[in-house]
Amino acid sequence: MSRILTFRIFRFDPQMPAEKPMTQEYQLQEAPGMTVFIALNQLREQQDPSLQFDFVCRAGICGSCAMVINGMPTLACRTLTSNYKDGVITLMPLPGFELIGDLSVNTGKFMRQLSERLQAWLVPSDANEDMHRLERPMDPALADAIYESERCIECGCCVSACATAQMRDTFVGAVGFNKVARFALDDRDARSADDYYHIIGDEDGVFGCMTLLGCQDTCPKDLDHQGQIAYLRRQLSRSQRIL
């Protein structure tokens, strides 16, 4: 016989400020291979159509279904209900982001503002680059390193798990460092370590990281945030010694 799961879900709609945030309890029969994402869909379809949460791909690629599950920021579509032996699952929205409603947060707004702040786009080293010419070859090891950074799905788990980001909303955080490292590695980019120092070379950047590595522990894509932060610290420190 399958067991009965208990879900304790955060409920609040910012569009209705007269209401107070609360935790609402639901019960659902568990099915083999059930994920938290599947359970939430069943709850919304069968019990409460007003329940708000986000999803797109169901495959751990889009990052939309990120939420705090029993105290851990992670993806609902990759979290099996069978992981919780007592059958009690508490769901909260990711902290550090604008709340849309219930479990839904606006990570897109945050990520766009961060990209603009960090200038997270390629600045070509050759201003007269011919766009119709075949792209020049790249060393395979460098291409692999850039691809590793590109695997970030911007789910926001690293931001929510970062103690520094929760204390200071101006802190760049691991997702921002990953963006910077991607272009710092790229030999087609014209910017130097000194240019990046003026963007992330302060307490809101890599030197403000307390190295608690909540980002490393919660990243659903297992990105090497620790390595990226260490790489940027070395590059920026060297640039300032030379200057």
Side-chain angles (χ1 to χ4, degrees):
M1 293 291 292
S2 58
R3 61 180 178 165
I4 299 297
L5 299 171
T6 298
F7 287 88
R8 295 171 180 164
I9 302 177
F10 174 86
R11 304 299 309 273
F12 180 62
D13 186 349
Q15 300 299 319
M16 303 180 71
E19 296 184 0
K20 293 184 178 180
M22 66 175 185
T23 300
Q24 190 165 348
E25 194 166 292
Y26 301 87
Q27 290 190 325
L28 184 70
Q29 188 170 7
E30 188 176 32
M34 176 178 276
T35 63
V36 171
F37 164 79
I38 292 173
L40 280 171
N41 271 279
Q42 287 192 16
L43 288 174
R44 185 156 67 180
E45 291 172 2
Q46 300 171 10
Q47 298 186 36
D48 190 347
S50 70
L51 187 60
Q52 297 183 66
F53 60 93
D54 299 316
F55 70 94
V56 176
C57 73
R58 299 183 60 179
I61 297 172
C62 72
S64 299
C65 67
M67 60 187 66
V68 179
I69 304 177
N70 281 17
M72 179 70 73
T74 189
L75 300 181
C77 69
R78 294 184 58 182
T79 305
L80 294 170
T81 57
S82 59
N83 292 344
Y84 305 100
K85 302 306 179 185
D86 61 357
V88 178
I89 301 173
T90 302
L91 304 179
M92 304 289 288
L94 291 180
F97 297 96
E98 178 186 345
L99 180 68
I100 296 173
D102 299 340
L103 303 175
S104 176
V105 296
N106 196 343
T107 54
K109 178 180 178 181
F110 175 91
M111 296 301 173
R112 175 164 182 166
Q113 291 175 342
L114 185 63
S115 292
E116 291 174 350
R117 172 185 172 186
L118 300 177
Q119 301 176 31
W121 50 77
L122 187 73
V123 178
S125 53
D126 185 355
N128 300 314
E129 185 73 33
D130 182 1
M131 299 300 294
H132 301 288
R133 190 178 63 185
L134 288 176
E135 188 174 359
R136 65 180 175 83
M138 176 180 287
D139 180 81
L142 176 58
D144 287 343
I146 293 174
Y147 169 73
E148 185 66 15
S149 297
E150 292 280 12
R151 290 198 307 109
C152 174
I153 59 175
E154 298 187 349
C155 62
C157 288
C158 62
V159 177
S160 294
C162 176
T164 309
Q166 299 311 309
M167 291 189 294
R168 193 165 66 247
D169 59 10
T170 53
F171 183 63
V172 172
V175 64
F177 299 145
N178 186 72
K179 289 175 181 289
V180 173
R182 179 257 178 269
F183 294 104
L185 285 166
D186 199 325
D187 61 3
R188 298 167 298 180
D189 196 283
R191 288 170 290 189
S192 66
D194 184 43
D195 294 319
Y196 293 118
Y197 183 86
H198 293 293
I199 299 175
I200 59 167
D202 56 15
E203 288 191 353
D204 283 337
V206 288
F207 299 111
C209 172
M210 295 189 293
T211 324
L212 299 177
L213 301 179
C215 54
Q216 188 89 13
D217 294 337
T218 58
C219 179
K221 307 305 287 185
D222 296 321
L223 296 180
D224 184 17
H225 292 297
Q226 180 180 7
Q228 297 284 39
I229 293 169
Y231 164 74
L232 290 171
R233 279 176 169 170
R234 287 196 303 271
Q235 293 297 102
L236 301 190
S237 297
R238 286 196 195 108
S239 77
Q240 294 309 295
R241 283 202 299 269
I242 292 172
L243 293 173

